Every structure is written in structure tokens, then in C-alpha cells.
Amino acid sequence: MEIRSIQPSEMEAARALLVVNGWDRQVTKVEEFHELVSRSQIALVAVEGSQVVGFLRALTDGLSNGYISMVVVAESHRGLGVGRALVHAAMGNDPRMTWVLRAGRTGVSGFYEKLGFVVSEVAMERPGRRRAGDA
């Protein structure tokens, strides 16, 4: 398995992986997904052979803070270290960096806790409004 920056030829496979795994919001439209990826400082895929089996998107200043926005792994590859490899590749090794995420999907908190994440007592959010037609 290889972890690398997403290539243009892998965009549709990554988008399809997200849709199949319930990430319909903001990835249903091809153009919108391409824009999300192009505006992200980090967009990685996990590739096995020629198959995209994982995807991660993150925003960061590279010095102090980072936000992991999306992590998805093909069901057939869960529990094999793909998600962990994607997260580690995105975060790097700088212990001064603070990384945040929203672990809103059922059952994912334990995964992130194993990677050193803890429930924050200081985070706040202003949720965006869904547009008409969004899932």
C-alpha cells in the first residue's frame, strides 16, 4: 500500500469512495469535490495496486494548527492500518502541532483516541447551514 498526494486521475475514485461510505454532503457534485480538494493543503490517498482504498483531506498552516476534515477507508480495508497511515502521513512528526477533527460518526472516537486525540474542552463550532438539495 502507498500513501501519496492525490493525483488528478484518482479524484473520481476518491469521490466515489466517499459517497459509498456515506459522505454525500459536498462530494455528490464532481466540481464541488474537485474544489474542496484543490483548496486543501493536504489531500492524500491510500492506493493498493491501482485501487484507491483510502482518502484524507486536511487544512493546516503547517506550523501550529491543523484540521482533519475527511478520512475514509474502503470497508474491505478497515482494520488494516490504512486510516492510521493516512492520519500519520497528514500530521507528520512535529509534536508542537495541534490537530483537531470532528469525530461525529458512530464508532470513530476509539480510532482517533488510539492516535492520541482526546475530547477537547475548548473547541467550539458554528455549524454551516445545508443548502437546498444537500443530503
Side-chain angles (χ1 to χ4, degrees):
M1 179 187 65
E2 179 184 3
I3 304 294
R4 64 172 183 243
S5 294
I6 192 168
Q7 304 298 310
S9 62
E10 297 163 333
M11 293 285 275
E12 180 53 28
R15 190 188 72 78
L17 181 63
L18 286 158
V19 171
V20 165
N21 286 280
W23 288 81
D24 297 26
R25 186 176 179 208
Q26 297 182 321
V27 302
T28 304
K29 298 175 185 165
V30 173
E31 305 81 26
E32 196 165 345
F33 178 65
H34 284 248
E35 182 132 1
L36 284 172
V37 171
S38 72
R39 292 184 181 205
S40 302
Q41 288 87 4
I42 299 171
L44 303 173
V45 287
V47 179
E48 188 170 82
S50 61
Q51 182 184 9
V52 173
V53 297
F55 173 76
L56 178 144
R57 183 175 83 88
L59 309 171
T60 182
D61 58 25
L63 299 171
S64 177
N65 298 294
Y67 169 67
I68 297 174
S69 176
M70 298 174 166
V71 179
V72 65
V73 174
E75 191 170 346
S76 61
H77 286 72
R78 291 183 190 157
L80 302 176
V82 175
R84 181 175 356 124
L86 284 164
V87 172
H88 281 299
M91 293 191 317
N93 296 318
D94 188 344
R96 298 170 297 173
M97 285 280 297
T98 296
W99 285 89
V100 297
L101 54 85
R102 292 174 64 197
R105 296 188 179 263
T106 303
V108 299
S109 293
F111 167 75
Y112 289 111
E113 288 169 357
K114 290 176 187 173
L115 297 173
F117 285 84
V118 295
V119 175
S120 173
E121 296 178 15
V122 297
M124 297 178 73
E125 72 174 323
R126 189 194 83 173
R129 290 187 211 147
R130 293 180 186 250
R131 289 172 278 177
D134 281 352

